Amino acid sequence: VELSFVRWLRDRAVPHRQVPLGIGDDAALLAVSPGHELVVTTDMVMDGVDFRLTEVSPRLVGRKSLAVNLSDIAAMGARSIASFVSVSLPRSGGEQLARELYEGIFELAAEFNTSIAGGDTNSWDGPLVINITAVGEAPIGRAWRRAGARPGDQILVTGDFGGSILGKHLSFSPRLSAAAWLAEYATVHAAMDVSDGLSLDLSRLIDKSGCGAEIDLARVPISGAAVELGRSSGEQAIEHALSDGEDFELVLAVPPMEAQRLLSAQPLDVPLTCIGQFVKDAGLWAIGSDGRREPLSPRGYEHRLE
Ligand SMILES: [Mg+2]
């Protein structure tokens, strides 16, 4: 890649006190706070699979490709430090595309205090592919995992669910500040972010935790978009809320007293709702309006290999 482009990148990189050396050397240097461990996640998105450049601006593609990574950092109860961006550009129009892409990436990076500290930019005769690796930190042994939910813990969620395809999948805010507050001031036994659908992701969390979960359907926060989508899809809004992907909200296992405290205090920059509880009986259960409990099949988005 041309030197002028690397310079342009370097000039835009947001300084971070934990990144003494970023773009422009053979590798970056990150400073880890004493008593902390690194939290690392990576995610790849491809034109034609995860988005279509014919429908979405490169700026929003860039924003989203970083946002999904920061959502995973938040899901671990960690703080973000730096992100590394690797891009395969289509040869024709590649540089203009790259600049627009990076505009979206830098904008979000500044908002959520992650330094773009390195990466790689290649071109080829294929479609646009972006891989971002985000690095954060958490106090040693304190990062949230999917394992750890206990029977009796309440299922708390941030925000609302469903219909993200109507816009939120591009514009969502990774829940880093909510996670930072909770990691510091609350007891969280397990957590994850909802990327593939509330019921599917919750089923993954209980698999790891070795327990079950009861969702009280009436308490699931349904987004306006899920209601709107339901009008044209022929499915109920609650179905969209349970199975649509890309909500990028947090699901948390919180002990009952703590949950009560959080629900009445609402200390986050996003509403916190209890949608049910973790139970001993394995599997996912739905509590209907009549109070009866029935098995709930997890539904959501899964990448298929053939
Ligand atoms: Mg995740």
Side-chain angles (χ1 to χ4, degrees):
V1 179
E2 282 164 50
L3 210 57
S4 65
F5 183 69
V6 176
R7 256 191 228 119
W8 179 83
L9 278 183
R10 201 181 44 207
D11 289 347
R12 317 219 48 183
V14 182
H16 192 290
R17 64 181 176 82
Q18 287 176 266
V19 185
L21 188 63
I23 295 174
D25 215 300
D26 295 302
L29 295 174
L30 306 184
V32 187
S33 307
H36 285 62
E37 55 193 344
L38 291 177
V39 177
V40 183
T41 182
T42 192
D43 199 87
M44 182 164 72
V45 292
M46 309 171 74
D47 188 10
V49 179
D50 302 284
F51 60 88
R52 282 176 216 287
L53 274 181
T54 48
E55 296 163 8
V56 187
S57 73
R59 189 193 193 97
L60 282 175
V61 170
R63 183 193 191 279
K64 179 174 178 177
S65 56
L66 177 58
V68 296
N69 279 282
L70 297 183
S71 180
D72 278 325
I73 294 287
M76 300 295 289
R79 234 157 28 83
S80 67
I81 300 174
S83 297
F84 299 83
V85 181
S86 292
V87 184
S88 288
L89 298 160
R91 250 184 260 283
S92 108
E95 177 155 353
Q96 181 56 30
L97 175 59
R99 284 182 193 254
E100 288 177 40
L101 202 68
Y102 273 103
E103 292 288 356
I105 291 173
F106 281 126
E107 209 172 81
L108 195 80
E111 190 181 340
F112 290 96
N113 196 30
T114 187
S115 174
I116 304 303
D120 199 8
T121 308
N122 295 334
S123 61
W124 69 328
D125 291 321
L128 174 66
V129 180
I130 309 158
N131 180 78
I132 296 189
T133 299
V135 181
E137 68 177 14
I140 292 172
R142 300 273 305 278
W144 301 336
R145 302 172 187 217
R146 295 180 182 185
R150 303 169 200 173
D153 283 350
Q154 304 293 292
I155 309 170
L156 302 193
V157 296
T158 59
D160 51 26
F161 292 82
S164 142
I165 189 75
L166 296 184
K168 186 184 178 187
H169 74 112
L170 294 171
S171 63
F172 71 93
S173 284
R175 297 301 180 198
L176 280 166
S177 61
W181 193 95
L182 292 167
E184 177 128 23
Y185 301 110
T187 304
V188 174
H189 285 161
M192 72 184 294
D193 67 327
V194 176
S195 51
D196 297 338
L198 179 57
S199 61
L200 181 59
D201 284 329
L202 189 57
S203 76
R204 291 167 173 159
L205 189 148
I206 57 180
D207 275 353
K208 289 279 185 190
S209 289
C211 63
E214 285 176 357
I215 301 181
D216 189 343
L217 296 182
R219 292 159 84 185
V220 174
I222 297 171
S223 70
V227 175
E228 194 183 328
L229 199 58
R231 284 194 204 111
S232 54
S233 71
E235 275 198 80
Q236 292 188 342
I238 182 70
E239 287 301 324
H240 284 290
L242 290 173
S243 64
D244 287 356
E246 308 215 302
D247 295 298
F248 298 106
E249 297 294 350
L250 299 176
V251 183
L252 308 148
V254 176
M257 296 291 283
E258 180 77 331
Q260 231 171 59
R261 180 178 77 92
L262 293 171
L263 290 166
S264 56
Q266 291 291 332
L268 309 179
D269 60 353
V270 57
L272 204 51
T273 308
C274 178
I275 62 164
Q277 59 175 341
F278 294 94
V279 294
K280 269 203 205 97
D281 310 337
L284 204 54
W285 308 88
I287 313 266
S289 51
D290 53 4
R292 291 237 308 265
R293 185 174 99 161
E294 285 181 14
L296 178 69
S297 317
R299 280 178 53 204
Y301 179 81
E302 285 174 283
H303 274 284
R304 285 185 210 295
L305 297 175
E306 279 161 22

